[in-house]
Amino acid sequence: MNMNLSMNTKEKRESGFTLLELLIVVSIIAILSVALVLVLNPAEALKKSRDAQRLSDMSTMKTALGLYLTSTSTPYLGANAAGALNNTWCKATPSIAPVSPAKIFYSLPTAVGTISQATLDGASTYAAAQQSASVAAATVTDGSGWIPVAFDNLVGGSPLSNLPIDPVNAFGSGHTGAAVDNTDLMYRYACSVTPLAFEIDAALESSTYATGADSKLTSDGGNNSNFYEVGTNLKILGTGNNF
């Protein structure tokens, strides 16, 4: 009987783990988990994913506006009402300071927050922001959306089902007062009359695309390292960060 008991005890020891062994395994798993989180950085990965969406949106809008310009005999980039045919809200030329009624257009609707002040081309407190009332209103393509271009007037209809808006489309966490700056995550649009041109800017938030080796802010061909810029003239929206 004693021999059987000894054999059973030996078998149990050989088939299981000691408490020390289990603690070592748990410690290794914990260390690997921490290392994995540090390497993957889920918060940064999410920012990078949103930035990738922004880059895609900017390309989509640039293509749609380019199609509108080349497919319309008399294109208008700054209509001041749905379906209106004019450039009332465009700057006279890209490089001059904006003069009323020229406006900067934002994808942020007033239902989320109101922009009443921006600084562009050295014009202090340039109060010429234009916003849609709601997210739904901001995305329409008839000229009353956040980009004032009547895409619906194109033969065959609009190349866009909806106007893209920023994945966050909100003021930044440090936003205060009425002014807007490059920490606020929303799209910006402006146009000029001579030449007839447009520019769209986006604020990027990931270190990969904003400050890293693959920074898009300094390789987009624009004149402003605070924003990612696309368009047919990248001098319309100036070089500052307060718009």
Side-chain angles (χ1 to χ4, degrees), residues 60-80:
T60 297
M61 290 185 285
K62 179 184 177 182
T63 299
L65 283 161
L67 178 64
Y68 173 81
L69 283 172
T70 57
S71 303
T72 306
S73 57
T74 308
Y76 297 97
L77 297 178
N80 61 355

Side-chain angles (χ1 to χ4, degrees), residues 106-123:
Y106 294 90
S107 64
L108 182 78
T110 54
V112 177
T114 301
I115 301 168
S116 59
Q117 182 176 308
T119 302
L120 184 61
D121 294 333

Side-chain angles (χ1 to χ4, degrees), residues 3 8 11 29 48-49 60 70 87 96 114 172 195 205 213 216:
M3 183 178 294
N8 289 338
E11 289 175 357
I29 292 174
K48 185 177 179 181
S49 175
T60 297
T70 57
N87 289 307
I96 67 167
T114 301
E205 56 179 326
K216 303 299 182 183

Side-chain angles (χ1 to χ4, degrees), residues 45-221:
L46 187 58
K47 291 179 180 179
K48 185 177 179 181
S49 175
R50 289 195 293 260
D51 277 351
Q53 181 62 54
R54 292 181 179 105
L55 298 180
S56 176
D57 285 348
M58 298 286 274
S59 176
T60 297
M61 290 185 285
K62 179 184 177 182
T63 299
L65 283 161
L67 178 64
Y68 173 81
L69 283 172
T70 57
S71 303
T72 306
S73 57
T74 308
Y76 297 97
L77 297 178
N80 61 355
L85 300 178
N86 56 58
N87 289 307
T88 300
W89 286 344
C90 293
K91 291 172 65 177
T93 65
S95 58
I96 67 167
V99 177
S100 181
K103 294 181 182 292
I104 306 169
F105 299 83
Y106 294 90
S107 64
L108 182 78
T110 54
V112 177
T114 301
I115 301 168
S116 59
Q117 182 176 308
T119 302
L120 184 61
D121 294 333
S124 60
T125 62
Y126 174 57
Q130 183 66 22
Q131 300 171 263
S132 301
S134 65
V135 172
T139 60
V140 298
T141 57
D142 65 357
S144 66
W146 80 269
I147 293 180
V149 172
F151 293 103
D152 290 358
N153 289 352
L154 285 171
V155 176
S158 172
L160 301 170
S161 57
N162 293 287
L163 289 176
I165 59 175
D166 187 275
V168 175
N169 217 38
F171 290 121
S173 58
H175 179 86
T176 57
V180 63
D181 60 36
N182 65 314
T183 64
D184 296 318
L185 298 172
M186 61 193 75
Y187 297 148
R188 295 113 167 117
Y189 167 89
C191 51
S192 67
V193 177
T194 306
L196 188 60
F198 68 89
E199 180 180 342
I200 314 172
D201 289 4
L204 303 182
E205 56 179 326
S206 70
S207 59
T208 300
Y209 290 133
T211 59
D214 193 28
S215 173
K216 303 299 182 183
L217 304 184
T218 55
S219 61
D220 55 14

